[in-house]
Amino acid sequence: MTRTETAAATRRALVRAASDLLDEGGPGAVTLREVGSRAGVSRGAPYGHFENKDHLLTELAINAWNSLADEVEQTRTAPTPQARLEQAVLAFIGMARRQPHRYALMFSTPASTPAAAEAADRLERNFLALIADVVGEPDAPRWCALLMSSAHGIAGMELSGHLAKDKWQVSVEQLVRMLVNATRHP
Amino acid sequence: MTRTETAAATRRALVRAASDLLDEGGPGAVTLREVGSRAGVSRGAPYGHFENKDHLLTELAINAWNSLADEVEQTRTAPTPQARLEQAVLAFIGMARRQPHRYALMFSTPASTPAAAEAADRLERNFLALIADVVGEPDAPRWCALLMSSAHGIAGMELSGHLAKDKWQVSVEQLVRMLVNATRHP
DNA sequence: CACTTCATATGACGTTGTCAACTAAGCTGC
DNA sequence: GCAGCTTAGTTGACAACGTCATATGAAGTG
C-alpha cells in the first residue's frame, strides 16, 4: 500500500471505530483515545485526519443522513404511492429504533458543513419526490415539511420513551398510517 | 435564616445557576464548578444537594416539563377547541425557540425518576384533555400521541435548522394549522 | 458549655480534548 | 541508491472536568 492509501485506510478505521463506539455505548463512549485505540493508532492520530472531535462526529452524522436517504430511496418497491410514503416515514422510526444514538446525532446540531447540508438535502429531495406522487407537485413542499417533521417527532418520542407500552392505545405503525392518511384531506 | 433554610436557598441557587448556564451556553457550559461558583459556593457543594450531575440535570428537565405543562394548561383563553389545540402545539415550538437547550434536555433521556415521569404525565394529561374536546373521548389518545409527536417533531426540525428560510414555502404556524386540521378527518 | 450534626471547603485522582515537539517511514529528484 | 523533504503517527504535557475522601467550622441540642 502506498502512503496515501494507508492514510485513507486509517481514516476509514477511525470513522468505523467511532461509529461502533457510538452504537455500542452512546455519545459518552466516543472518546478520541478509544477511537484511536480501536483503529490501531494512538490517541493523537485522529488529529491528522480530523480537525476536531466535532468534525469526526459530523462525519458520522453525514453517514447517517446518507444511510437514511438510501433507505428512503429504496421504497420504490412498494406498490402504491401511499405505501411508499408510509415506508419512508417508517424508515425514520426504524433507524431510530435500530441505532438510537446514531439517529440522535443526526439532529443534534444544525448541519454545520456543506457536506452535511448536502446529505440532508438528498434525503429531503427523496422524500419530496415520494410526497409529490401523493399530493401533487404544488402542495408537495408543505406536506413534505409536515410529514418529515412528524416522522422525526414520532421517532423522537419513541426514543425518549414517551410512546411506550400502549399508553396511547395505538401502535407506532398505526400512527404512521393516520399521518399518511391526513394527506388525503387538503 | 435557620440552617435548613439556607441549605434550601443554596439548592435553589444551584438549580437557578445551572438553568442559566444551560440557557446561555448550552449543555457544554453546565459545569458543576461553574454552577457552584455562580451559586456562591465551592465546586464540591452541589454534591450535598444532588447525588450526581445527572440528577441536577434531571431536575432542570422536570422544571422544563412543568413549565411546558403550565403553558399548555393556560390555553383555556382561546375561543374554540381547535384554537386551543393550535395554541398548545405552538407552546412546544415556542419553548424550543426561546430556550432550545432546555427543550432539548427534556427529551434527551427517558424520564429517569418518578418525579420526571409525573411532570411529563401532567403535560400529557393536559394535552389529552384539549384533544378530547376536538375529536371526542374515544379517539383522543391516538390523536394525542400523533399531535404531541408531530409538535415535538416540528420543534425539533426547527431547532436543528431543517425548517429554515422558507425552504418549504410554508411557515411553522401554517404547519401547525395543517396538523390540527388533520383531526377533522378520521 | 460540651457535644453532635451537617453544609461547605479543599486536596486529590483519573479521564478527557487538545496541542507542540519529536520520530520515522515513504516519496522525490538526482 | 542516496540526500532531503513530506507527512502520518507517537509521546509528553496541560487545563478542565466529574467525583470522592477528608477536613473544617458553624448551627443546633442537651
Side-chain angles (χ1 to χ4, degrees), chain A residues 3 7 10 33 40-45 49:
Chain A
R3 182 161 47 155
T10 299
R33 283 164 157 85
V41 292
S42 77
R43 65 180 195 271
H49 301 272

Side-chain angles (χ1 to χ4, degrees), chain B residues 54-76:
Chain B
D54 270 349
H55 281 60
L56 172 54
L57 292 179
T58 297
E59 181 131 341
L60 294 191
I62 292 173
N63 290 351
W65 280 102
N66 279 324
S67 149
L68 187 52
D70 288 344
E71 235 177 296
V72 168
E73 210 165 350
Q74 277 158 7
T75 56
R76 278 194 277 250

Side-chain angles (χ1 to χ4, degrees), chain A residues 41-58:
Chain A
V41 292
S42 77
R43 65 180 195 271
Y47 288 92
H49 301 272
F50 303 94
E51 189 177 329
N52 236 326
K53 183 183 182 181
D54 270 349
H55 282 61
L56 171 55
L57 292 178
T58 297

Side-chain angles (χ1 to χ4, degrees), chain A residues 19-53:
Chain A
S19 184
D20 288 351
L21 283 168
L22 179 66
D23 285 344
E24 292 167 17
V30 183
T31 290
L32 284 189
R33 283 164 157 85
E34 183 64 19
V35 166
S37 173
R38 287 219 188 181
V41 292
S42 77
R43 65 180 195 271
Y47 288 92
H49 301 272
F50 303 94
E51 189 177 329
N52 236 326
K53 183 183 182 181

